[in-house]
Amino acid sequence: MPSHEPPTAFSAVLRSASSAEHEAAEQSSFMSHLLTGRLGRDAYAELSGQLWFVYRALEGRAAELARHPVVGPFIDSALFRTAALERDLEHLRGPGWRSGLTPLPATAAYTARIEELAADWPHGYLAHHYTRYLGDLSGGQIIRGIAEKTWGFERKGAGVHFYVFEEVGNPAAFKRDYRARLDAAGLAMDEVERRRVVDECKRAFTLNSALFADLDTRYPLSA
Ligand code: HEM
């Protein structure tokens, strides 16, 4: 007999399906070194620089995506991080921050995937939107505290603007609302499409881990 049970909320499916990938990203060598305060300021500056390429890709087609029936409700200028990263990079690398900043191979692969999806498959783009912004609103807050302590940035100031969502009043309430939007998006897709989006979410985490691996090669801990 066909089941008439409502499908598990899409937000819960995304979270549980990507939990192993989340753990892998969190426990990656680069993140572990960052979380234990063992990286230099230069490594942190490089992470910020690489994230600038990622957010430029995520936010580059926002105006177009805002008109998409399913993805549109997620496009919210309160989340945009490109300008915050630029302020951080000016502090970290100086006024000429853009010169000499190049995407690492993993960053290039990651941004190419986001750009492809933003143009051709907005539901897939949503998986990337979720992976980055909900992560920034969650674990990102832990990273901010560590960065302030390790490299002496002013609390919520220059160097860590990326982690400060000034226009998101209450992050816990925002995340609840975001999850409700994810649940509605899931209901607008059929099961095959939902599965494809879940797979893309795992891929988004893996692309982040690959970026951390690239950074780790560049900034190994000195013995
Ligand atoms: C430094 C390592 C990290 C730590 C300590 C960390 C920690 C956390 C914590 C504590 C939560 C739960 C927050 C809550 O339920 O309100 C969370 C959620 C999340 N994190 Fe991370 N995280 C880390 C790295 C990452 C990375 C690298 C990504 C992806 C790029 C990521 C993406 C997410 C997402 C998407 C969620 C939301 C899960 C959901 O509720 O649906 N995290 N993280």
Side-chain angles (χ1 to χ4, degrees):
M1 244 180 41
S3 161
H4 295 292
E5 287 293 305
T8 308
F10 194 48
S11 62
V13 172
L14 276 175
R15 175 196 260 180
S16 64
S18 61
S19 71
E21 285 78 7
H22 182 274
E23 207 167 303
E26 201 180 330
Q27 291 172 1
S28 66
S29 171
F30 186 80
M31 270 297 140
S32 309
H33 296 160
L34 192 155
L35 291 175
T36 47
R38 286 182 293 162
L39 286 178
R41 197 180 186 270
D42 55 341
Y44 177 77
E46 187 65 31
L47 170 64
S48 304
Q50 297 303 313
L51 288 175
W52 179 73
F53 292 107
V54 172
Y55 284 83
R56 235 179 25 154
L58 273 173
E59 293 162 11
R61 281 182 183 260
E64 231 170 283
L65 289 163
R67 292 192 293 272
H68 186 274
V70 175
V71 176
F74 292 87
I75 308 301
D76 180 346
S77 62
L79 291 174
F80 292 170
R81 298 290 85 202
T82 306
L85 279 167
E86 291 179 359
R87 288 162 74 201
D88 288 338
L89 287 167
E90 187 150 341
H91 181 72
L92 295 163
R93 292 171 59 100
W97 63 269
R98 182 66 184 90
S99 84
L101 180 62
T102 46
L104 293 170
T107 307
Y110 187 6
T111 57
R113 182 66 181 158
I114 295 170
E115 279 161 9
E116 182 188 348
L117 298 178
D120 300 335
W121 184 38
H123 291 170
Y125 165 89
L126 179 56
H128 289 264
H129 191 280
Y130 159 76
T131 303
R132 279 301 337 175
Y133 293 112
L134 227 56
D136 300 332
L137 284 163
S138 307
Q141 301 313 303
I142 300 166
I143 297 175
R144 175 176 63 78
I146 286 164
E148 289 165 356
K149 207 168 101 189
T150 309
W151 300 292
F153 303 126
E154 195 184 310
R155 187 170 180 273
K156 297 192 175 184
V160 291
H161 289 304
F162 170 69
Y163 299 99
V164 183
F165 288 84
E166 269 161 6
E167 292 171 51
V168 173
N170 178 342
F174 187 95
K175 283 196 279 183
R176 267 198 304 279
D177 179 67
Y178 190 99
R179 290 190 186 108
R181 278 178 270 165
L182 280 176
D183 296 342
L187 292 174
M189 299 173 203
D190 64 23
E191 186 52 30
V192 172
E193 185 71 349
R194 274 197 293 273
R195 266 190 223 148
R196 286 181 71 211
V197 174
V198 167
D199 285 346
E200 188 62 36
C201 180
K202 294 185 194 185
R203 185 165 173 184
F205 272 97
T206 306
L207 287 164
N208 277 278
S209 289
L211 171 52
F212 298 150
D214 253 10
L215 285 164
D216 189 53
T217 310
R218 239 177 110 148
Y219 297 94
L221 285 191
S222 47

